[in-house]
Amino acid sequence: MDTSIKEGHMDKTMCISADKRLQEFLESVPEDHSHRRMVQQEVKCGFGLDGVCCRLCSNGPCRISKARPKGVCGADRDTIAARNFLRSVAAGSGCYIHVMEQAAKELKSAALAGRKLKGVDALHRLCDELGIGEADDSQMALRLSEAVLEDLRRPYEEPMHLTEKLAYAKRTGVWKNAGLLPGGAKDEIFNAIVKTSTNLNSDPMDMLTQCLRLGISTGIYGLVLVNRLNDILMGEPELGFDPVGMRVIDPECINIMVTGHQHSMFGSLTGMMEHPEIKEMADRAGARGIRIVGCTCVGQDFQARSRCYEKVFCGHAGNNYSSEAVLLTGCIDLVVSEFNCSLPGIEPICEELSIPMLCLDDVAKKKGARHLPYHPEDREDVSVNVIAAAIASYVRRSRAGKRQNPMQDHGCNEAVTGVTERTLKGALGGSFAPLIDLIAAGSIKGVAAVVGCSNLRAKGHDVFTVELVKKLIARDILVVSAGCTCGGLENCGLMSRDAAGLAGPGLSQVCRSLGIPPVLNFGPCLAIGRIEAVAGELAGALGVDLPKLPVVVSAPQWLEEQALADGAFALALGFHLHLGLAPFVMGSPVILDVLCNQMEGITGGKLMVETEIDAAAEKIAAVISDKRRGLGLNE
Ligand code: SF4
């Protein structure tokens, strides 16, 4: 297993990747792709980086500098950066809330139609927590879905009802005192958009407060609750070890690559793919079977639940910035996209390789793709269309004689999969006490949640993430991950049991005795909410609030507006949050002071921007040491 970043990278027309086999493959292909375009886009706009360019009105764009400290309207750098930042957080929140709303609609449709739910235990547990009791499962699911939808659609001035039932109890007191309890999630977004339009709100503090409210609504609904609904609809994750990377793609199968975040849209499709009639159709087409190839977070989610989909899911091939390479293997027959992390860069590759694209949701409609609108009521028709398109495309590929997977040696033979708040607790014997004891004894110094996206700017593709994680586990810090970070970490071998050899003596010993890797795979970015649930359980067992825990959140390669909403949630929860790239607010002293200093007195959270890997590892370890001291533990 070679996870090192080799010096002497020769191809200067491409950024490097932590995944050396991927890099080698992308260097060898003639097609244009994001790893090449990153080099072409290397020079960045300083005003954009600092967040001090405003183009809200026709007097602009105004760019703020020492010589020109105000825009034509009088807005200064703090107002402009805060407006830009809040707009981004609102857009990111909108993305998560869209996914949440679609999952709730799916559950409502299943309840009304009396469809069988895969996770009935998950339904009962959640309804117990929320105080929803009904005579039968369908009625229970209906009440639950309606309660979620009502909350999302409440007015801004009316706090959502489920927030307090789902959040860690000590946090809700903090949020209430600081005026952070959010109103209806959709109206919070609407309000943020209005607030940030031309010549409306100019108060950076007010806009940052709204960022925290959006962080809480995003986190509790789009990161915590959405997994619980998906567990009901799609079945609960189970622990396992699975192969990962492009090696999972069998060129003799009909391969449907999925991208996005809306796992519940595939419930009918996977059921239909298991049907004997479909197997016969695949057989007649000369294929070994019909399979879903995981890519981006929907692939991570399938991977987490892979025990429920063993017959139709071949495995997770890669993260967002591996998706072009997955197509370039020439073994994909159809792309089905339903949400983001579906790069525009896949479109010309699909066109060149004659791979049809279907989009199930117009919010992610791709150029050149067929829009096949998904509504829960039409799910069977949508599935029939997807399968028909995949088989027809396979027949064309087969006739063209493309039967090799050039990346059959990519990735790893095993990565841990299906880690959740429940499976982790189960593996520890039904309680988090053993983990707390290991932390207290110092075998594990603390926990770093290294989460979020992959980008190409923070040292290269997955480079910051992989190298930072290696340095953290070497310091006996347990790493948990959710999002495209997982795709990079598992393809580079850090989620396999062999990686115990890279950990410090304490963590290595723990990994070997428990048979686990030092980096735990919680799956998609949505599962950041599952990590929050683990933190809540640890804090509850210790009788402290979340900021007291020796836990740090890091998004070393954050990419999207959604990641900024995630970050706002982490700060609202009271965690120290490390970012490997500065957010676009660095031109505002007021915002920096609030995020990096004042926030600690409001929620306990603190932003740490550190763009160098060694220094980031040092700072994260220092925070963990500090938190350990606070709990009376040895460093
Ligand atoms: Fe310039 Fe103000 Fe218009 Fe923004 S709103 S473009 S700062 S004049």
Side-chain angles (χ1 to χ4, degrees):
M1 177 177 59
D2 177 16
T3 61
S4 65
I5 306 303
K6 293 190 184 90
E7 296 301 325
H9 164 62
M10 295 307 291
D11 187 348
K12 301 293 183 203
T13 65
M14 224 184 84
C15 69
I16 62 168
S17 172
D19 181 341
K20 291 297 131 194
R21 182 67 188 94
L22 173 71
Q23 182 179 316
E24 186 184 83
F25 179 61
L26 287 173
E27 279 172 353
S28 74
V29 297
E31 285 84 359
D32 186 34
H33 51 70
S34 52
H35 294 233
R36 292 210 170 102
R37 288 189 295 270
M38 185 66 221
V39 175
Q40 294 155 14
Q41 289 286 348
E42 220 162 37
V43 179
K44 303 296 178 196
C45 165
F47 297 100
L49 285 173
D50 282 349
V52 292
C53 173
C54 180
R55 52 179 183 81
L56 281 184
C57 84
S58 65
N59 284 326
C62 295
R63 302 184 303 175
I64 303 304
S65 63
K66 268 191 187 149
R68 286 171 285 276
K70 290 190 176 172
V72 175
C73 65
D76 64 14
R77 55 192 174 174
D78 300 309
T79 293
I80 290 172
R83 280 195 307 222
N84 290 340
F85 188 59
L86 177 54
R87 282 210 156 190
S88 294
V89 173
S93 178
C95 292
Y96 276 120
I97 296 303
H98 179 84
V99 172
M100 173 76 252
E101 189 173 32
Q102 295 296 106
K105 287 200 264 186
E106 184 77 39
L107 184 63
K108 184 172 180 176
S109 163
L112 288 171
R115 278 198 294 276
K116 193 172 177 305
L117 299 166
K118 284 198 161 179
V120 173
D121 288 349
L123 171 71
H124 291 175
R125 281 197 310 274
L126 181 56
C127 286
D128 274 356
E129 270 176 57
L130 300 179
I132 295 173
E134 288 292 341
D136 69 68
D137 292 345
S138 290
Q139 281 301 312
M140 212 181 269
L142 183 61
R143 282 261 322 271
L144 171 61
S145 61
E146 285 177 343
V148 175
L149 290 169
E150 274 167 29
D151 255 5
L152 298 182
R153 296 163 183 174
R154 279 183 205 289
Y156 177 74
E157 57 276 8
E158 196 179 304
M160 290 188 284
H161 291 183
L162 304 182
T163 311
E164 289 193 56
K165 293 181 178 173
L166 290 163
Y168 183 58
K170 288 187 191 298
R171 276 288 94 184
T172 49
V174 173
W175 294 341
K176 261 187 200 163
N177 289 339
L180 298 177
L181 271 185
K186 295 183 85 168
D187 218 21
E188 286 281 345
I189 296 161
F190 182 82
N191 200 55
I193 297 301
V194 173
K195 197 172 262 197
T196 54
S197 193
T198 320
N199 298 330
L200 281 125
N201 198 304
S202 61
D203 181 350
M205 284 304 290
D206 182 84
M207 287 188 270
L208 290 174
T209 301
Q210 178 120 24
C211 285
L212 290 175
R213 289 168 64 107
L214 285 165
I216 294 167
S217 56
T218 300
I220 297 296
Y221 290 78
L223 296 171
V224 173
L225 192 52
V226 73
N227 298 298
R228 309 282 299 266
L229 296 199
N230 280 338
D231 288 351
I232 296 166
L233 287 161
M234 304 301 289
E236 295 190 69
E238 287 177 45
L239 279 178
F241 288 93
D242 293 314
V244 67
M246 288 173 233
R247 67 178 58 211
V248 303
I249 306 169
D250 179 351
E252 302 294 331
C253 285
I254 300 163
N255 289 313
I256 303 171
M257 171 176 153
V258 291
T259 67
H261 288 76
Q262 304 197 63
H263 189 71
S264 62
M265 284 187 175
F266 295 100
S268 161
L269 177 66
T270 49
M272 200 175 280
M273 283 167 66
E274 287 185 15
H275 200 278
E277 204 178 312
I278 301 300
K279 284 184 187 162
E280 277 169 32
M281 286 168 73
D283 205 35
R284 281 200 297 277
R288 208 176 345 240
I290 179 163
R291 299 282 181 273
I292 285 178
V293 176
C295 201
T296 74
C297 274
V298 69
Q300 290 286 163
D301 205 300
F302 262 117
Q303 187 195 48
R305 301 174 208 278
S306 60
R307 299 294 164 269
C308 303
Y309 299 98
E310 275 169 339
K311 292 181 189 153
V312 294
F313 177 64
C314 70
H316 186 59
N319 61 17
N320 50 356
Y321 284 102
S322 307
S323 54
E324 292 156 310
V326 173
L327 291 168
L328 288 166
T329 61
C331 303
I332 299 298
D333 299 300
L334 178 70
V335 177
V336 181
S337 306
E338 33 71 11
F339 207 64
N340 67 342
C341 295
S342 307
L343 308 183
I346 66 176
E347 293 155 13
I349 298 174
C350 283
E351 191 180 350
E352 185 189 324
L353 300 182
S354 303
I355 303 168
M357 288 187 290
L358 296 177
C359 295
L360 303 186
D361 187 332
D362 67 355
V363 298
K365 170 70 176 68
K366 311 305 296 173
K367 198 162 58 182
R370 175 152 70 102
H371 182 209
L372 187 60
Y374 177 90
H375 303 290
E377 302 72 32
D378 305 329
R379 59 212 302 273
E380 306 293 322
D381 288 345
V382 170
S383 303
V384 167
N385 272 289
V386 169
I387 289 171
I391 293 177
S393 176
Y394 173 83
V395 169
R396 285 194 297 275
R397 173 164 70 89
S398 193
R399 285 189 186 137
K402 298 174 200 162
R403 289 289 183 113
Q404 295 273 319
N405 176 5
M407 292 292 273
Q408 60 192 357
D409 56 345
H410 174 252
C412 258
N413 266 335
E414 69 156 43
V416 66
T417 59
V419 185
T420 69
E421 67 280 27
R422 281 180 56 76
T423 60
L424 183 57
K425 194 176 182 178
L428 291 166
S431 140
F432 282 105
L435 178 58
I436 292 170
D437 290 346
L438 289 166
I439 293 172
S443 306
I444 296 175
K445 299 287 187 201
V447 179
V450 180
V451 295
C453 321
S454 165
N455 65 36
L456 303 180
R457 189 157 75 88
K459 312 283 183 198
H461 175 236
D462 291 330
V463 174
F464 204 126
T465 299
V466 166
E467 292 302 296
L468 175 66
V469 164
K470 283 199 267 183
K471 290 180 192 311
L472 294 175
I473 61 174
R475 286 171 164 81
D476 289 326
I477 295 168
L478 177 70
V479 172
V480 295
S481 188
C484 275
T485 42
C486 289
L489 290 165
E490 58 192 339
N491 277 338
C492 290
L494 288 163
M495 290 175 163
S496 68
R497 283 167 285 196
D498 284 352
L502 299 173
L507 179 58
S508 173
Q509 172 66 27
V510 171
C511 291
R512 292 204 162 97
S513 62
L514 295 176
I516 58 167
V519 185
L520 301 180
N521 178 6
F522 276 72
C525 59
L526 305 175
I528 290 172
R530 296 194 194 274
I531 295 175
E532 187 266 346
V534 173
E537 292 239 21
L538 296 178
L542 293 167
V544 299
D545 197 359
L546 299 176
K548 296 277 183 208
L549 294 175
V551 172
V552 175
V553 179
S554 171
Q557 300 204 232
W558 72 272
L559 179 79
E560 300 168 338
E561 292 168 320
Q562 274 176 274
L564 297 175
D566 294 337
F569 184 44
L571 292 173
L573 289 173
F575 291 121
H576 279 57
L577 168 67
H578 161 251
L579 299 180
L581 289 175
F584 302 140
V585 296
M586 301 305 276
S588 165
V590 167
I591 297 179
L592 285 179
D593 183 48
V594 172
L595 298 182
C596 302
N597 301 312
Q598 293 183 45
M599 185 70 68
E600 224 171 342
I602 304 168
T603 66
K606 183 182 174 82
L607 174 67
M608 306 190 298
V609 177
E610 180 48 69
T611 57
E612 293 305 318
I613 298 168
D614 284 328
E618 288 292 335
K619 287 181 181 173
I620 290 170
V623 173
I624 285 176
S625 291
D626 196 41
K627 302 277 182 181
R628 287 182 67 84
R629 273 196 302 277
L631 289 171
L633 301 174
N634 292 333
E635 287 179 47

